[in-house]
Structures are given as structure tokens and as C-alpha cells.
Amino acid sequence: MNYIKSTLLLLIFTIGFISCDNEDNPIPSNQPIVSKSYKMIQPEEFTYNGTVNLEEDEDGKILLRVTLDQAASEEYQVQLYNGSIDLSATSIETLTPIAEGETESITDLSEKYTYQELTQINAHLRVIKKENDLNIESITELGTNEFDYDGEKTYEITNASGEVVGYSTFIPRTDGPMLVGVNLVNSDNQYEYVIDLYEGTKNSGVKTDNPFIELANIPMFSDNNSYTNLPEEYSTPASIEDAFLLIEKKPIVQGEGYYGKADVGGNELTGEVMMYDFAKPGSEDFINGWVKFEERVNGNVLFSHQMTGDSKPYSSFVINLNDDNYFEQGGILAHLGKTKVDTDEVIYFDLREKKDGTPITYNEIISSEYSVRMNKDSDPEYNGTEYFALSDVGTSALNGTHTISVFDFNHIDYSGEEFTIEMHERINGMAFFKSSYSEFLEESESYKIYLYEGTDYTDESAAQVALVGILDERYDGPTYEEDIINVDVNGDSINYDQLLERAGHYRLIRQSDEEVIANGLLK
């Protein structure tokens, strides 16, 4: 969809400091009884560099006071222009100049305007160097075009390597179209820079023949800036619900691709992030990594993962979000893309909906009992037993609270063996157990781990609290056995805190003869 472009080409300036009096500025006779203030901006980088104050004093004098943060390096012209910021705007008032070395211009407009008329004027103000309308030191909108700086958003524009190549600032107006400014950093002015908005995000969105919104380009041999007034329906950054900014350099240099991208509006990240460990216990060695969910303003989710250990995916494996913790596995809730072969780079995926097409949000993920599975398969629907890496997310994740118990072996046949068990608390309050041990298991034997009341493992009257796990010939250690305990020995629900309240020690029991071969205090 094409829109009329309005562009303002702004020139680079150098500020000096020279002292001089300005005798042309009228001095107000009284303090203002009513006033309105506008922030001024340095138009190349949208940094604030002054103020405009509209004042009416008790005698009815109407003053327009322009004050810069730094002294003028030469005499600056001050002009009012008709309408909002636009290359074709015409000057409607010449105001008192700012003398070299001074910071202020004061103009008495009492004979031309009332205070109310100036608050409703359709105009903008420029502080100009060398009487060139485009050589602008400072600028702002007035009256009905007033900027709403509280709603301003600035987005970093990055290249394919993640380096910042520019900034895009979206400034709403209190009544009128939003202004979008693009400022490039260290660009080469021998190229034209074509700037447009497209639907989607910078990770998964694609360039099409019909941009969502066309922005003003930066021509060759010009400054590094572009300004565009958007259509009326896009009055705030959030009103652009799903778009990214794309900059291409022309003439195109083969192999370089795009110049820069930025997620804007609703696709901006809110800063809410949850990050979880990514590993696969009990299998391939040297696996380590993480998964991360980041919230967007529009409620969608940016998912990313990275494998940081020595073991990397040796095929393009599918990653899914499952609707239970990874021990219980659950069903496939949503697809999270695929891995890349043998890489440690961060891989991104835009998560917008579940497998059934219904929306999914960041808040749902972090408040639900979910898990992420990197399956050893390229089929998105695979949910079997073969997986490369796992991560519990949301309320399934561990909250950091845990106990570690080292067992003492009481049986002579197991002298010198080692066994340690950790009890972790999940965010949802449930208990999660991890055990590690040396190679004491016999092929013909199985072992049960129970939590008991009290601290005396010889007390025959001590009651069992919960079955923690069963070890058998499948575990040929040293390895890890993991279990999630939701119920006690009677089948009643029990959580981490309740286990600590009711239990005092572990017993490792050989099933063939029910003999206690080891015990450990719960602490």
C-alpha cells in the first residue's frame, strides 16, 4: 500500500561557544499567568536540545520563548512553518533570531495572535542555521501538531551480524499522524537507503512487493536521516501491531543482503524474559544449553535456544513445546522450529499459536506446567522416546530450593559404594528427585527408595511417607534416576514443603529381601 511521503533532509552541524548579547529580544514586563511548554529536538538523533514556551502575562502580552540547551555557534534564524514537519512547508512567521553565543529567542506575538489561537495553531517551529530551511539545529511541533513524547519509542536497527547500524524513532502526536524518523550510524552516502515496513517480525517476516507502509528513503549524497508522517490510523507505536522495519542499500552489493532490520510497534519486546536450562539427563555426555521465552507487546512470544556444551545436534531435530513436564512428557502443544546441525549459535523462532491454531501467550507459558523437547527426529509430530535435549519450563521448572542427602551403606556387600539424592522444588510446589550412584546394582536386583518419618533408620515403627523411586537393571551407572513425587504412599497429594514436614530420612531397600542397605538424612 503506497502512501504520500513527506521527508525532511537534515544537515550535520558543529556547535561552538561564542559570547554575545542579543538586544533584539523583548523583555517580558511581568511573570506569565498562563504558559505552555514544548520540547525541542535535535532532528538527526531525536535528542532533546531545547524548549519552546508560549506565555501570556498579566497585561495580556503573548510571548513565544525559544531556549536552546547550548549556545548558538552563529546567528540562528527562528521560523514558524505551516502544518506539520514537511519538506514543502512554507514559513508563516519570522521570529526573533538567536544571536551567536546566546541561547534564547523571545518574540512578542500579541498583535497577531491570542494565546488560545497559538495553542491551536497548525504549525511547527524550526531553529535554522545560515538561513537554510533544511539546515536545522532544533525543531518541534506546535498547537494541534504537538508531539506526545510520553508515547515515543526508539528501536535499534541491526544488521545480520547483530551490530547496531541505526535507530528508528516513532513519535505520536496529540492530534495527528505519527512521525517516524530513521537515523543511520556511519552509513555510506554513496548509496541510497530504501526504508519500508513489512508485516511480521525481523526473524521470520519477508520482503514482499507490497510493503505494509512505505517510509521516506535516504537519497545518495544526503544526510543519514529520513522522516515520514504515517497515515492517520497509525497514531501510536502499538497501533502497528505486527511489523518490522527493513532497510536495503542500493545499488545492491551482491552477497550483502539487507542493510538493517528492527521489530517495531507490537513486535517490540517488553523486557519480560524467562530462561531455562536445556539438557538431557542420563544420556549423551557434554550436553548443555538454554531455552528462552521473551514477551512481545502484542502478546506473541520470541523463542530462542542455544546448545553450549560439547555435544551439538548432529541432524536437524524438531523442537516442540509439550503440555506437561518432561518426565511425564505430555502431548505436543506447539512447534518451536528445528535445530541447526552442529552449531552453538543462538537460534530464534516466532511463537504465535498452538498446534491447533489457537493463540498462545508469554503469560500462559510461564504460568503452565510445560516442557521443551528437542526430539531425535525431523518429523514435527514425533513425540516418542528418542530425544536429544529437554527443558522443563513454566511452573515445571525448578525454583532453586533443594536438599542434598549423602547415603551411608549399612550392608557389608556394599561397602565403599556411593549414593546421593537431591530433592528439588518446582515452581508449582511439587518435588523432583535426582539420584546419582556408583555401579553397585546387580542385574538380578531392584531397589526402592523411600522417605520415612523421623531420623532413625533403625526405627521399625517409623512410617513410610513416599516412594521416591525404583532402581533396577536398566540403570547401569554411574547415572541419574529422576522422579517427580506428587503423592504419598497412600495416594494422597503431597508437595515439597509437606515432604519436608513429614519426612526425616531416606532408606534404600533391596527388593528381593526387603533389607535396608543404605540410608540418608533429609536435610
Side-chain angles (χ1 to χ4, degrees):
M1 184 175 184
N2 293 325
Y3 296 97
I4 296 176
K5 299 180 180 180
S6 60
T7 181
L8 180 60
L9 307 178
L10 309 172
L11 304 179
I12 301 174
F13 68 93
T14 305
I15 295 180
F17 298 90
I18 306 175
S19 176
C20 182
D21 292 331
N22 184 352
E23 298 178 354
D24 295 330
N25 283 344
I27 305 301
S29 57
N30 298 292
Q31 292 296 317
I33 59 173
V34 63
S35 65
K36 185 174 180 60
S37 181
Y38 304 88
K39 291 180 180 178
M40 299 196 71
I41 53 175
Q42 193 279 337
E44 290 186 350
E45 299 177 3
F46 275 107
T47 53
Y48 304 133
N49 69 343
T51 57
V52 175
N53 283 295
L54 172 61
E55 305 169 358
E56 181 179 9
D57 68 13
E58 58 188 11
D59 294 330
K61 182 178 289 187
I62 311 299
L63 299 179
L64 196 63
R65 184 191 305 269
V66 179
T67 307
L68 298 181
D69 292 341
Q70 293 183 322
S73 59
E74 57 189 73
E75 182 177 272
Y76 292 164
Q77 301 299 308
V78 184
Q79 300 275 347
L80 276 182
Y81 290 80
N82 184 53
S84 60
I85 296 174
D86 193 304
L87 178 63
S88 60
T90 57
S91 176
I92 57 175
E93 292 290 343
T94 297
L95 307 178
T96 305
I98 300 176
E100 181 180 353
E102 295 295 323
T103 60
E104 195 168 61
S105 158
I106 303 175
T107 305
D108 186 350
L109 295 174
S110 305
E111 296 183 0
K112 293 186 177 182
Y113 300 95
T114 66
Y115 180 85
Q116 185 64 26
E117 286 173 338
L118 286 174
T119 62
Q120 298 299 313
I121 194 171
N122 178 14
H124 68 277
L125 184 147
R126 304 181 199 175
V127 177
I128 305 165
K129 296 190 291 186
K130 296 182 180 178
E131 298 184 0
N132 182 335
D133 286 1
L134 302 181
N135 196 352
I136 298 172
E137 169 67 20
S138 189
I139 197 168
T140 193
E141 300 275 19
L142 301 178
T144 58
N145 297 326
E146 181 182 2
F147 284 133
D148 176 15
Y149 288 107
D150 291 336
E152 174 187 332
K153 287 286 186 180
T154 296
Y155 307 102
E156 288 186 349
I157 302 168
T158 56
N159 62 18
S161 301
E163 300 168 323
V164 176
V165 296
Y167 300 90
S168 180
T169 301
F170 290 59
I171 304 184
R173 292 183 170 93
T174 56
D175 183 18
M178 183 163 52
L179 181 70
V180 177
V182 174
N183 170 245
L184 301 184
V185 179
N186 299 324
S187 60
D188 187 342
N189 68 2
Q190 296 185 67
Y191 294 89
E192 177 184 10
Y193 294 88
V194 180
I195 311 170
D196 293 299
L197 296 180
Y198 292 90
E199 290 184 346
T201 71
K202 67 179 183 180
N203 295 308
S204 60
V206 295
K207 177 186 175 182
T208 67
D209 292 335
N210 297 302
F212 176 62
I213 299 176
E214 293 182 355
L215 302 182
N217 298 342
I218 299 176
M220 297 172 63
F221 309 115
S222 67
D223 294 327
N224 300 327
N225 305 284
S226 154
Y227 289 85
T228 308
N229 288 311
L230 296 191
E232 294 283 350
E233 60 264 35
Y234 302 111
S235 58
T236 65
S239 67
I240 304 175
E241 295 183 2
D242 181 23
F244 71 99
L245 183 146
L246 174 67
I247 303 178
E248 291 184 301
K249 186 168 63 173
K250 292 188 176 181
I252 296 173
V253 178
Q254 188 167 353
E256 283 194 358
Y258 67 89
Y259 182 77
K261 288 183 179 181
D263 282 325
V264 302
N267 283 329
E268 178 191 11
L269 298 175
T270 66
E272 292 296 324
V273 177
M274 287 301 292
M275 195 168 181
Y276 308 93
D277 289 336
F278 206 2
K280 181 182 181 301
S283 185
E284 301 173 44
D285 293 333
F286 310 116
I287 287 181
N288 200 5
W290 51 261
V291 301
K292 181 163 60 175
F293 295 89
E294 299 179 74
E295 182 186 37
R296 296 190 187 276
V297 170
N298 58 20
N300 293 331
V301 181
L302 176 61
F303 170 78
S304 59
H305 76 275
Q306 183 183 29
M307 303 304 295
T308 58
D310 292 339
S311 292
K312 304 292 191 304
Y314 46 83
S315 182
S316 182
F317 295 145
V318 166
I319 303 179
N320 286 331
L321 181 69
N322 281 28
D323 63 356
D324 208 331
N325 59 71
Y326 73 66
F327 196 81
E328 299 294 341
Q329 185 168 333
I332 299 173
L333 187 73
H335 300 306
L336 301 174
K338 293 185 177 182
T339 65
K340 294 183 179 180
V341 177
D342 193 25
T343 181
D344 59 1
E345 67 181 271
V346 179
I347 301 173
Y348 295 91
F349 181 83
D350 284 311
L351 178 58
R352 300 184 175 216
E353 59 184 29
K354 300 176 185 176
K355 180 181 166 184
D356 61 9
T358 57
I360 189 168
T361 65
Y362 173 86
N363 286 333
E364 176 184 344
I365 292 170
I366 66 171
S367 60
S368 301
E369 192 172 346
Y370 290 160
S371 60
V372 174
R373 291 171 57 90
M374 182 187 291
N375 294 307
K376 287 185 178 179
D377 205 289
S378 60
D379 180 3
E381 300 306 319
Y382 176 81
N383 198 36
T385 58
E386 295 297 317
Y387 52 84
F388 186 82
L390 302 167
S391 180
D392 277 330
V393 302
T395 62
S396 296
L398 307 183
N399 68 7
T401 302
H402 67 283
T403 66
I404 300 177
S405 300
V406 179
F407 279 48
D408 294 322
F409 281 82
N410 315 306
H411 199 286
I412 191 171
D413 293 342
Y414 300 90
S415 176
E417 302 292 355
E418 298 177 357
F419 189 93
T420 301
I421 193 164
E422 301 175 14
M423 182 171 71
H424 295 261
E425 184 179 19
R426 294 180 180 274
I427 292 174
N428 59 18
M430 294 296 104
F432 174 74
F433 292 84
K434 295 174 65 174
S435 56
S436 61
Y437 45 88
S438 56
E439 298 181 22
F440 66 82
L441 295 178
E442 302 174 25
E443 290 187 2
S444 60
E445 291 287 356
S446 294
Y447 305 84
K448 290 185 177 180
I449 311 167
Y450 280 96
L451 274 171
Y452 278 77
E453 294 178 345
T455 58
D456 185 0
Y457 78 95
T458 64
D459 183 2
E460 296 183 0
S461 65
Q464 292 179 347
V465 176
L467 174 64
V468 173
I470 300 176
L471 307 180
D472 55 30
E473 64 273 7
R474 292 174 298 170
Y475 303 98
D476 55 359
T479 185
Y480 288 89
E481 163 72 358
E482 304 188 353
D483 284 288
I484 299 162
I485 305 303
N486 298 319
V487 295
D488 63 12
V489 291
N490 299 316
D492 297 325
S493 176
I494 191 168
N495 61 27
Y496 180 92
D497 288 338
Q498 292 166 339
L499 285 169
L500 286 178
E501 291 171 2
R502 292 172 54 183
H505 71 280
Y506 296 93
R507 295 184 191 182
L508 180 62
I509 301 173
R510 187 166 58 192
Q511 280 194 259
S512 61
D513 56 10
E514 296 295 319
E515 186 169 357
V516 177
I517 64 168
N519 69 281
L521 289 178
L522 177 60
K523 56 184 179 180

